[in-house]
DNA sequence: TGTTAATCGAGACGGTACGTCCAGTCTTGAC
DNA sequence: GTCAAGACTGGACGTACCGTCTCGATTAACA
């Protein structure tokens, strides 16, 4: 079980452990960024964070869970996005921001690692879906639904499928690496999937 | 460097080593299938294959490369597919076969593992792209190009992008696991990406 | 420094701390008896005694010192023994009681542990000598000296050496375990060391 | 089970492992001598011996067993002693050599540690008795038996008890430390236990 | 047919990280 | 002010696996 568990132990002194926990999350991200995946060991995290291994294992089941928390913290903040009334433009902006967040940033390596580890760690995969994907998909789904309401998309559109058609190719290029998820591709993709009809 | 290297050592006695190599590949697949990723150790492969670790390391740089070879061998065979003259139907069949190959088969776990490891192992990722993806994409690209020629797709269509729009969502659902890549989804996806226009 | 130190801190509230200290000593003995040496951890003592670790460390430098105090408390009581006028009989009785105290009782394991730890902990060894051995040797030495005075032992007898000759073999068998310190052995030993001459 | 087991695994290459094993034993002794008991960790032994922990654990169950082997190796050599025909003199020489071997030498600390650990480790205690004590006691018993045959000791003497009466006080002083096992004490002890009668 | 060199299995080796446990210190809040 | 509760650092434990290595035995091709 990852720290996802809402019933995780509450330390007597929230302040003490929170300092250690924050240092741990930061150390995990920094290590991964600076020295790569193979340097991401619990010992190294502990040493860099100035925290003992026992403390890490007290709050997380393994280093993947640490990284998950660090990833969520680092990508926290406002995740909603404005509705300009132009669905295609909004979706294009949003997909562009997603790619930006994952290109040449510490988060790219972190995301890759989490998805990779998630292939063998169901709890981690679930945490990625529930804690990262789901909220963002909910917002994008809302935008699509408003697009349907506004007539930019046909009535009866299955928005979840549409989300997969939009985000799938992006993840595919990011994870498989056979081609870049560059501006031109995103332009084309959003147009193609949302339909050229609405294009101005 | 993976065994992809064309200059790999050639054993004096091809027969002896080939027996060992085949047993090694088989053992890797079987272990992964039966006991999962965490049981896939070089020691375990060696023991199960009745082969020494030294022999494994003589022919492959690491267990990922073994698994890559095993994966390629297991998914070898005729990869071309017939051209019925109906692009949508052909693409739908083909995507269906891809998903079948990866659903409830030993290959699913193997593919997941290879892509996961590839996130931290550029040589492995490259091998996956060049030795597995590329040939299959080339065939599918050919089909799309014939579709363009036949007028089923508009002239000037960028077939690589179209491939990503078709396969991306499938890998996305397989790797992220938020939803199933079922028949209905594939039906919708192929129709949506190749354009409803051509639909009868 | 062990709790041997006569200048140990005096708690403001003697009553509270004495209750905690008594529970701690008892818990140490019980743990050692019931679950063995490897279960004798400070955490376990604290939990069983319903006392916090901080309290234990407030009054003792380490668990060995706790055990020393517990041992002394458990073996307290009248340590003097009557003088029947027959030295050999008195010594034989006394050696017998020593062995009884250490055979099939919680004290055996405790004594073994204290002597074992004392091999690497000079303060503990000193405490064992000064607080347990010395008083008992003083009494036995008195008995021997009276034996000299009564003519049961030759004048000029070095009583300390005689004590070692009497008690040494007993501890030797108890600690090394190559043979039992049984009644027959004690009979022979006392006779042999005190001299058959005085035997009736 | 300690390495005492005569059926311990035989390495493919005796030479390789023997080098590692010898370095391990030496490192254990040196560490104990130079830095004391608390520095005697498996990690430290491994580092000092230039050997990996895995190798140590391959051949010994724990560090105590390493130390036992090191102790036996260090105290190996001729353990028999000449029979001059004068039992008292021979025993006095022998007890003197025992004390010498354990006074101000690396072996003293080693012996203390082994006996101490043996209080909680039956296998270790047994190994000490069988592999160190027993051979030496057998030789001394032989000497006593010859003394009986020569009439230096009374017929029917129980030599095992006599051994305990001789060695017990020596170990007692060494382990408890209340007094020194010096020349004068040994002189008196041997005379007193073997009987003044035979004294010339 | 006998010799020789490559290759094999077996498995020991140094190294590194794991996840656990305990010692001894420190912090907080209840009494 | 003292206590229990328990989090903290530090560090050793014993295990597992990696990738390298050494060893004889087996093999296959050539002498």
């Amino acid at each position: 079980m990852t720290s996802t568990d809402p019933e995780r132990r509450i330390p007597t002194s929230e302040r003490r452990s929170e300092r250690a926990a924050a240092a741990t999350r930061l150390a995990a991200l920094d290590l991964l960024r600076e020295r790569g995946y193979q340097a991401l060991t619990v010992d190294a995290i502990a040493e860099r964070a100035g925290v003992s291994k026992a403390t890490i294992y007290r709050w997380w089941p393994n280093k993947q869970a640490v990284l998950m928390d660090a990833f969520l913290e680092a990508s926290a903040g406002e995740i909603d996005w404005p509705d300009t009334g132009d669905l295609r433009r909004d979706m294009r902006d949003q997909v562009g921001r997603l790619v930006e967040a994952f290109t040449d940033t510490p988060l790219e390596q972190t995301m890759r690692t989490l998805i990779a580890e998630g292939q063998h760690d169901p709890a981690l995969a679930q945490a990625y879906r529930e804690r990262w994907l789901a909220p963002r998909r909910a917002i994008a789904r809302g935008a699509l639904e408003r697009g349907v309401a506004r007539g930019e998309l046909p009535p009866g559109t299955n928005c979840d499928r549409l989300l997969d058609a939009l985000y799938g190719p992006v993840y595919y290029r990011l994870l498989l690496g056979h081609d870049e998820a560059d501006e031109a591709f995103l332009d084309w993709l959003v147009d193609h999937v949302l339909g050229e009809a609405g294009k101005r």
Side-chain angles (χ1 to χ4, degrees), chain A:
Chain A
M1 181 184 304
T2 73
S3 61
T4 302
D5 184 3
E7 305 196 71
R8 68 197 244 193
R9 277 160 291 173
I10 301 297
T12 318
S13 163
E14 187 69 45
R15 217 168 24 260
R16 287 182 80 199
S17 64
E18 190 40 46
R19 183 152 49 95
T24 302
R25 287 191 296 264
L26 182 60
L29 283 187
D30 286 352
L31 266 175
L32 186 57
R33 172 164 42 88
E34 295 173 16
R35 308 194 30 225
Y37 175 70
Q38 60 97 25
L40 189 72
T41 68
V42 177
D43 286 87
I45 295 172
E47 185 181 349
R48 180 166 194 137
V51 144
S52 84
K53 279 170 59 179
T55 299
I56 294 180
Y57 282 109
R58 196 192 313 279
W59 301 112
W60 293 279
N62 50 47
K63 64 186 176 191
Q64 288 83 12
V66 174
L67 197 62
M68 182 79 243
D69 277 3
F71 176 71
L72 289 170
E73 186 193 42
S75 57
E78 182 55 56
I79 61 172
D80 206 349
W81 31 288
D83 186 340
T84 65
D86 180 345
L87 176 65
R88 189 187 329 276
R89 192 175 123 198
D90 288 350
M91 287 305 302
R92 175 62 186 77
D93 284 352
Q94 180 54 19
V95 170
R97 276 193 291 275
L98 175 72
V99 171
E100 267 171 42
F102 283 159
T103 304
D104 303 328
T105 69
L107 284 191
E108 176 184 6
Q109 176 74 333
T110 309
M111 177 272 288
R112 285 172 176 283
T113 301
L114 289 172
I115 292 179
E117 300 290 318
Q119 301 306 315
H120 313 298
D121 181 344
L124 190 68
Q126 186 183 353
Y128 190 85
R129 287 194 301 267
E130 295 184 356
R131 300 175 67 195
W132 203 89
L133 275 187
R136 287 159 179 81
R137 282 177 70 100
I139 290 169
R141 193 184 303 108
L144 292 178
E145 283 164 356
R146 285 191 301 275
V148 173
R150 284 196 302 258
E152 290 175 288
L153 292 172
T157 293
N158 183 323
C159 293
D160 272 311
R161 286 175 179 168
L162 219 47
L163 286 175
D164 290 339
L166 280 164
Y167 289 116
V170 175
Y171 271 96
Y172 184 47
R173 287 200 168 187
L174 290 176
L175 293 175
L176 274 294
H178 54 287
D179 215 337
E180 265 185 87
D182 54 18
E183 301 285 319
F185 177 65
L186 298 184
D187 286 343
W188 173 85
L189 180 67
V190 172
D191 277 355
H192 192 80
V193 170
L194 294 189
E196 315 261 343
K199 199 170 178 184
R200 252 153 286 262

